[in-house]
Amino acid sequence: MTSNMHGEKARELELFATRQMGCNYWALEYQGHGDSSPNFLECTLGTWLEDVLQLLDAVGSQQQFLVGSSIGAWLALHAALRRPHLVQGLLLLAPAVDVTQHWLQVARPAGVDQHGHELVELPSAYVESGGIRVRRSFIEDANQHCLLLHTGQLEALTCPATIVHSMRDDVVPLHLVQRLADELAQSSRSFHLELLPGGNHRLSREQDTQLMCRLLGQMVQAALRAGPG
């Protein structure tokens, strides 16, 4: 939730997509991150989903392969469900789908912001302060985007999907990923789960990024062999 388009995975993907695959590449930086607007506390999952959909619509009729990490994977699934004609495949890295159920258990009260909105802190080993402050309304909004609370919400997903997840992930519980994998195995036209014994939530080791690029390349090549439709 604190990554930006200058991160290691984004750079590796750009090099792989443009130089080795000869594909166009777009890196999306959500509002409140990196070089974008500094309004992180005002953002919600719905805000970021609109960012994704606007980019897809701007690209137009070209079918895209979406790579999403953590919450980005959650958003990629929503985008594929809402723009099925534009999404040809999904690579989901450490997917934080429905992670709000976990957040509700670990969130710590963090006062209020300057506008009087209640704040909570989500523990994180990936920021200096040890936690990420969000408005409670952020979690409430994210809860409205859950995909696993009711079986069958992912039935409309038909594009190929691959999950890469570390069994040592300290952010997204393994049982959530297993539940997601079970549903995608039934709905997706082609599904693959890659569980790694090492690594962590960031999946930024050299072997992780190499695996990510290899799996994306396989997905693109399979789509090219299959042809339109």
Side-chain angles (χ1 to χ4, degrees), residues 50-85:
E50 284 303 312
D51 291 342
V52 177
L53 296 177
Q54 285 183 26
L55 177 59
L56 281 175
D57 292 339
V59 170
S61 60
Q62 287 182 290
Q63 290 189 314
Q64 305 296 314
F65 293 88
L66 303 186
V67 182
S69 178
S70 192
I71 286 181
W74 191 359
L75 293 167
L77 277 166
H78 272 289
L81 289 169
R82 299 188 186 207
R83 300 290 192 275
H85 59 294

Side-chain angles (χ1 to χ4, degrees), residues 78-168:
H78 272 289
L81 289 169
R82 299 188 186 207
R83 300 290 192 275
H85 59 294
L86 296 178
V87 179
Q88 195 163 349
L90 295 170
L91 179 57
L92 310 173
L93 310 173
V97 176
D98 290 18
V99 75
T100 46
Q101 303 302 301
H102 176 62
W103 285 344
L104 290 171
Q105 298 174 10
V106 301
R108 303 182 291 245
V112 297
D113 65 14
Q114 60 181 342
H115 302 293
H117 296 280
E118 181 182 359
L119 298 176
V120 296
E121 184 175 78
L122 305 175
S124 174
Y126 302 105
V127 294
E128 273 189 41
S129 63
I132 300 171
R133 293 199 310 165
V134 299
R135 289 176 178 173
R136 182 168 291 277
S137 57
F138 174 88
I139 298 180
E140 293 169 352
D141 172 85
N143 249 347
Q144 300 301 311
H145 292 83
C146 286
L147 292 171
L148 301 175
L149 284 181
H150 305 290
T151 301
Q153 293 191 77
L154 289 169
E155 286 181 356
L157 184 76
T158 58
C159 68
T162 294
I163 290 177
V164 180
H165 191 73
S166 168
M167 296 179 70
R168 295 187 178 182

Side-chain angles (χ1 to χ4, degrees), residues 7-41:
E8 186 173 350
K9 290 197 293 292
R11 291 198 306 270
E12 290 295 325
L13 275 172
E14 181 177 13
L15 291 173
F16 176 76
T18 58
R19 296 186 182 180
Q20 295 193 41
M21 298 296 295
C23 299
N24 292 324
Y25 172 85
W26 288 268
L28 173 62
E29 191 163 80
Y30 305 118
Q31 294 181 51
H33 290 73
D35 298 330
S36 69
S37 55
N39 61 335
F40 178 79
L41 282 179

